[in-house]
Amino acid sequence: MTFFTAIADVLLYIAFSYLAGYVVLQFVPENRKPPVAASNVLLLLSTVGIVFLSFVPVYELVVFLQSSQGWGDALVNAITGFRIGQGWLITLLLSIILAIAIYFGGSRYIQGLYLFLLILTVGFYSHISTLDLWTGFALHSIHILFLSMWTGVLLHVAWFAKDGANWRRFLAWFTPFAFFSVAAVIASGIIIMFYFVAPSDYANSWALPYGQLLLLKHISIIPVLLAALINGFLNKQQVFQQAWLKVETSLLLIVFVFTAFMSKQAPPHDVNDTLRIEGGGWLVEKLVGPLYIPLTAGLEWTLNGSLLMGVSLLLLAMMLLSFFRQLNAWLSLLFSIGFIICFYAGLMLNISF
């Protein structure tokens, strides 16, 4: 069940991003963006998708509750008696209104308002808001809002732009917009992380499934930022290179996958207690060796680990080289995946607990 709920989260991120990108681009003058093929079918599918995909964790709760009560009672109880169900009910109502606004070509302001309210609903009923209601609500809402807008605009231009018309004018506003959005996403993400993992326990948490996926998420952000640097700054001639934009969105998808699977793991509020209850990450003991409580992570440089980390940096350099040598952009995606694997394995071989 964990696998399916995680995949549902990945698709949910994509649905929010597609809608957010569409709304943002509606506020951009036609002469400052490439012509983009907007599809009402995809917009409506994304809206309906939000309803069904956000219901998956509610369904998981219903399955759990029905062991002690009937299916109907379990469904009503899950929706009315738990925050996750109440949040889904509000999501359903807002999604219906948004779908109606899209179908009948409603005002961009109305569409933007109801999408914003949907994002606020996600923030209010998020896990972090149960720890610190208003601060958690604000942080998660900011994180989802700016991630969706940045990823969404990129998604539309990378996969649905008809040509590169107005490309330089588009970059003139999108580059600072993306820079600010990325800064907001990273800043809010770091603060959110510290609610679940104390700064002093960050390295120790790598022994746990949650920490392993958190580490992989952080490593996978590096090639995303490099791709963004290439598309926004290193492209000196400001030529429309749609394949490189597609690579950037594909790298973002990898980050989404790690994030979704991480959110299904037990967060290590206390690393040692979590290790005692949940056990270590499935690769940790193979790469690091036996784990002992209390955990005390430290660097112990090994030849194999150092070589792998060196290879990972070479792969990152190859990503840059493939751009400057005008090689096939999809090679850089392979280099990026190789970087993630080698850097992760090298780091783990250089860590002792």
Side-chain angles (χ1 to χ4, degrees):
M1 193 61 159
T2 299
F3 176 82
F4 293 106
T5 55
I7 294 301
D9 277 357
V10 173
L11 296 175
L12 189 62
Y13 300 152
I14 295 172
F16 267 112
S17 297
Y18 186 78
L19 288 167
Y22 170 73
V23 170
V24 169
L25 286 172
Q26 284 191 88
F27 288 88
V28 179
E30 294 298 326
N31 65 351
R32 301 199 68 186
K33 62 184 177 184
V36 176
S39 167
N40 266 12
V41 173
L42 284 178
L43 290 168
L44 290 171
L45 281 176
S46 296
T47 309
V48 173
I50 287 174
V51 174
F52 285 99
L53 294 168
S54 60
F55 183 75
V56 172
V58 180
Y59 174 77
E60 189 177 25
L61 176 60
V62 172
V63 171
F64 174 77
L65 292 175
Q66 72 156 348
S67 60
S68 58
Q69 52 191 282
W71 175 265
D73 290 339
L75 178 62
V76 172
N77 190 15
I79 292 176
T80 60
F82 291 83
R83 278 174 57 87
I84 191 172
Q86 295 161 4
W88 178 79
L89 191 59
I90 296 172
T91 298
L92 171 64
L93 296 174
L94 291 173
S95 296
I96 290 172
I97 299 172
L98 178 59
I100 292 171
I102 292 171
Y103 183 79
F104 289 104
S107 163
R108 58 186 178 179
Y109 295 100
I110 295 296
Q111 294 177 21
L113 171 64
Y114 283 100
L115 180 60
F116 181 61
L117 291 175
L118 271 171
I119 290 172
L120 291 182
T121 302
V122 173
F124 188 78
Y125 289 98
S126 64
H127 187 186
I128 188 176
S129 71
T130 63
L131 303 177
D132 188 337
L133 180 59
W134 295 111
T135 303
F137 163 53
L139 285 170
H140 198 78
S141 298
I142 289 170
H143 193 73
I144 295 297
L145 175 65
F146 284 100
L147 178 64
S148 298
M149 291 194 300
W150 166 48
T151 306
V153 173
L154 195 61
L155 183 67
H156 278 270
V157 175
W159 295 92
F160 302 101
K162 298 175 182 176
D163 55 53
N166 307 314
W167 182 243
R168 294 190 178 187
R169 290 184 176 183
F170 170 77
L171 282 182
W173 74 264
F174 180 68
T175 299
F177 172 81
F179 182 84
F180 180 81
S181 296
V182 171
V185 168
I186 291 175
S188 58
I190 290 173
I191 298 172
I192 290 171
M193 179 185 71
F194 289 155
Y195 273 86
F196 301 105
V197 183
S200 59
D201 276 338
Y202 177 63
N204 287 334
S205 73
W206 297 347
L208 305 171
Y210 183 98
Q212 287 277 287
L213 288 163
L214 179 64
L215 173 62
L216 283 165
K217 174 185 175 180
H218 289 166
I219 293 172
S220 66
I221 289 172
I222 296 172
V224 171
L225 295 178
L226 183 57
L229 179 69
I230 288 170
N231 286 320
F233 296 99
L234 298 184
N235 187 359
K236 297 296 185 182
Q237 297 179 341
Q238 296 186 330
V239 177
F240 179 59
Q241 299 193 44
Q242 198 166 19
W244 273 96
L245 296 172
K246 290 179 179 179
V247 167
E248 188 176 345
T249 58
S250 300
L251 290 170
L252 276 167
L253 180 61
I254 294 174
V255 178
F256 286 172
V257 170
F258 287 138
T259 303
F261 279 89
M262 181 188 74
S263 68
K264 305 308 172 189
Q265 305 298 321
H269 299 290
D270 186 300
V271 172
N272 292 308
D273 281 347
T274 306
L275 177 63
R276 188 180 296 111
I277 297 168
E278 300 288 331
W282 66 279
L283 262 179
V284 176
E285 293 194 6
K286 289 183 173 59
L287 293 172
V288 179
L291 300 172
Y292 301 100
I293 296 173
L295 291 170
T296 52
L299 272 176
E300 287 187 5
W301 295 100
T302 64
L303 178 60
N304 289 339
S306 301
L307 286 174
L308 277 171
M309 293 187 74
V311 169
S312 73
L313 296 177
L314 287 176
L315 287 167
L316 209 59
M318 288 297 295
M319 183 179 173
L320 270 175
L321 186 63
S322 66
F323 171 75
F324 287 115
R325 291 296 180 90
Q326 298 183 346
L327 303 179
N328 190 312
W330 292 106
L331 279 174
S332 65
L333 179 62
L334 295 179
F335 294 144
S336 300
I337 294 171
F339 162 78
I340 294 168
I341 295 170
C342 291
F343 192 90
Y344 163 78
L347 183 59
M348 294 308 296
L349 288 173
N350 285 330
I351 287 286
S352 67
F353 292 99

